Amino acid sequence: MAFICLDIRCLCIFFMYTAFGYALSDTEINVNPPQDFQIVDPGYLGCLYFQWQPPLSLDDFKECTIEYELKYRNIGSEIWKTIITKNLHYKDGFDLNKGIEAKIHTLLPRKCANGSKVQSSWSEATYRIPPQGNPETKIQDMDCIYYNWEYLLCSWKAGMGVRLDDNYNLFYWYEGLDHALQCVDYIKVKGKNIGCRFPYLKSADYTDFYICVNGSSESKPIRASYFSFQLQNIVKPLPPEHLSVTMTSPNEINMKWSLPRGPIPPKCFIYEIEFTEDDITWVTTTVENQANITRTTNDSRQLCFIVRSKLNIYCADDGIWSEWTEENCWKGINDRWKKILMFFMLPLGFASVLVFLMSYLIL
């Protein structure tokens, strides 16, 4: 009889626990979105800040670490960048020629939501610089080159419909500067700014470099243009030096050259070599400052090569090829015999003529 009562009590407890468990599972857990979400432009020509405040009614989640999922993109782009953070701010670089849109919501850890994934609704924000001036007045063909990893030079062409009293101004910023700076050494043609020579850029490598070129005009506003890049990706090194050619065996030819001058580390170079063997030309690349070539035939009369350099993938995402070196050639055995014969025959011929003239005079 006691066993029967015990079973009944256990059964009652089981039903009570099941009912209570379903009641817990039916209780919906909600969390509010972040407050005061906004995109802030500090005047860094493309580096923008996202900032927000914690959501309301967090008293029920004091023991939980709240996270935020941030998504953002330039308006018109198909790809959203996604960041999950515990902070109340984030920054990134953008193309200010286009608008920016972003959205953020709150994430609740599973341990604070009975093992389920809980997230708030989205808070959204947009940012766009109000366009001024006709789009045709923007500069054209902007070109920036970081010569030999030492000095930066940018140049451009004037936009369409620009009048005589119009001129352009360049401003730049990178991480480490307190504020955006204006170019102090413009390249001018007939009094008009068509480029900028930058001063020494301390600690500007491997960080985003932002440029804005706007205009000044007494008659109408000029549309601003924005650019961003990293300096190591636009480096144009000097070409290699001191090319030499050595025949190491009847069919093997070794080509060497010296490293380009300047501050670029030797490990950063890749070389492109163009060979011409008689009438056949081909191109190859190497990370060494030498190359061995096998002659295609023993009858080769001449083999010439030129070299140029660029930063490799270990030091930059991209780069600009240097100028080509002057051509250096190896000439075949026939040409060498001609030189040897000329070396000996010319003095011999001269001596013979001299002896003949002296004999003639004496006679």
Side-chain angles (χ1 to χ4, degrees):
M1 186 68 179
F3 288 108
I4 295 174
C5 292
L6 183 61
D7 290 341
I8 292 173
R9 285 199 301 269
C10 292
L11 187 62
C12 291
I13 293 171
F14 172 76
F15 280 121
M16 289 175 63
Y17 178 78
T18 304
F20 183 69
Y22 278 119
L24 283 177
S25 64
D26 290 339
T27 302
E28 185 176 359
I29 300 175
N30 293 315
V31 65
N32 291 317
Q35 301 181 86
D36 302 327
F37 178 50
Q38 56 183 323
I39 304 173
V40 179
D41 185 356
Y44 294 157
L45 313 180
C47 181
L48 302 180
Y49 287 80
F50 302 100
Q51 58 187 40
W52 58 92
Q53 295 299 320
L56 294 170
S57 305
L58 284 179
D59 294 339
D60 296 335
F61 311 109
K62 288 183 178 180
E63 304 300 325
C64 298
T65 302
I66 302 299
E67 293 184 331
Y68 305 97
E69 183 179 16
L70 171 67
K71 290 180 176 288
Y72 56 91
R73 65 180 178 180
N74 272 111
I75 295 176
S77 173
E78 297 181 356
I79 301 175
W80 290 87
K81 287 187 177 181
T82 301
I83 299 295
I84 296 178
T85 179
K86 299 175 184 177
N87 299 322
L88 298 176
H89 53 83
Y90 189 76
K91 69 176 180 178
D92 202 353
F94 294 89
D95 179 4
L96 293 188
N97 298 298
K98 306 174 184 177
I100 295 94
E101 57 183 347
K103 55 185 180 180
I104 190 171
H105 62 190
T106 310
L107 300 178
L108 205 59
R110 292 183 182 273
K111 66 179 181 179
C112 301
N114 295 335
S116 60
K117 182 179 180 181
V118 175
Q119 58 190 32
S120 72
S121 58
W122 292 100
S123 290
E124 299 182 352
T126 59
Y127 178 78
R128 182 191 293 273
I129 294 180
Q132 295 183 346
N134 192 310
E136 293 183 351
T137 60
K138 295 172 62 174
I139 62 168
Q140 302 177 10
D141 301 334
M142 181 67 158
D143 184 34
C144 292
I145 299 177
Y146 198 26
Y147 286 96
N148 208 35
W149 214 319
E150 293 178 302
Y151 64 95
L152 175 65
L153 190 149
C154 291
S155 60
W156 60 81
K157 295 180 181 177
M160 302 294 291
V162 177
R163 300 185 180 183
L164 293 177
D165 62 337
D166 299 341
N167 211 345
Y168 293 99
N169 305 304
L170 182 145
F171 298 85
Y172 65 95
W173 181 85
Y174 59 88
E175 194 75 45
L177 296 181
D178 295 331
H179 58 274
L181 301 178
Q182 185 176 2
C183 176
V184 295
D185 187 10
Y186 284 108
I187 302 169
K188 296 177 178 288
V189 172
K190 296 181 179 179
K192 301 298 182 182
N193 300 335
I194 57 99
C196 176
R197 301 180 189 91
F198 290 79
Y200 173 67
L201 302 170
K202 183 180 179 181
S203 304
D205 303 332
Y206 298 100
T207 187
D208 291 331
F209 193 94
Y210 300 93
I211 287 178
C212 171
V213 181
N214 57 22
S216 59
S217 172
E218 297 179 359
S219 56
K220 61 180 180 180
I222 294 177
R223 181 71 62 92
S225 298
Y226 297 89
F227 308 89
S228 65
F229 47 81
Q230 293 197 353
L231 293 183
Q232 74 277 359
N233 294 330
I234 57 169
V235 170
K236 182 177 181 178
L238 294 174
E241 298 181 326
H242 308 304
L243 278 63
S244 64
V245 182
T246 305
M247 191 169 185
T248 56
S249 71
N251 291 322
E252 287 283 335
I253 296 177
N254 175 262
M255 281 152 287
K256 285 186 178 182
W257 52 89
S258 299
L259 297 175
R261 290 180 290 106
I264 303 174
K267 65 179 182 180
C268 289
F269 285 112
I270 186 173
Y271 304 96
E272 186 173 70
I273 314 164
E274 181 180 289
F275 305 96
T276 301
E277 184 177 6
D278 294 338
D279 298 327
I280 301 172
T281 300
W282 71 98
V283 177
T284 187
T285 58
T286 179
V287 295
E288 303 290 337
N289 63 323
Q290 64 175 325
N292 292 314
I293 296 299
T294 302
R295 298 166 60 194
T296 56
T297 66
N298 292 332
D299 298 331
S300 300
R301 296 185 303 275
Q302 180 171 273
L303 192 149
C304 300
F305 78 104
I306 51 177
V307 187
R308 61 181 181 176
S309 59
K310 188 175 81 165
L311 266 63
N312 58 36
I313 60 173
Y314 302 107
C315 297
D317 295 333
D318 200 358
I320 302 172
W321 285 109
S322 73
E323 302 297 330
W324 289 102
T325 60
E326 293 185 2
E327 188 178 62
N328 192 299
C329 295
W330 169 87
K331 294 187 177 181
I333 188 69
N334 293 334
D335 291 327
R336 285 196 296 168
W337 272 111
K338 288 179 182 178
K339 287 185 177 180
I340 292 171
L341 290 174
M342 292 291 290
F343 180 81
F344 286 104
M345 291 299 293
L346 280 175
L348 183 61
F350 181 79
S352 300
V353 171
L354 185 60
V355 170
F356 175 79
L357 289 175
M358 290 180 65
S359 302
Y360 177 79
L361 293 174
I362 291 172
L363 293 174

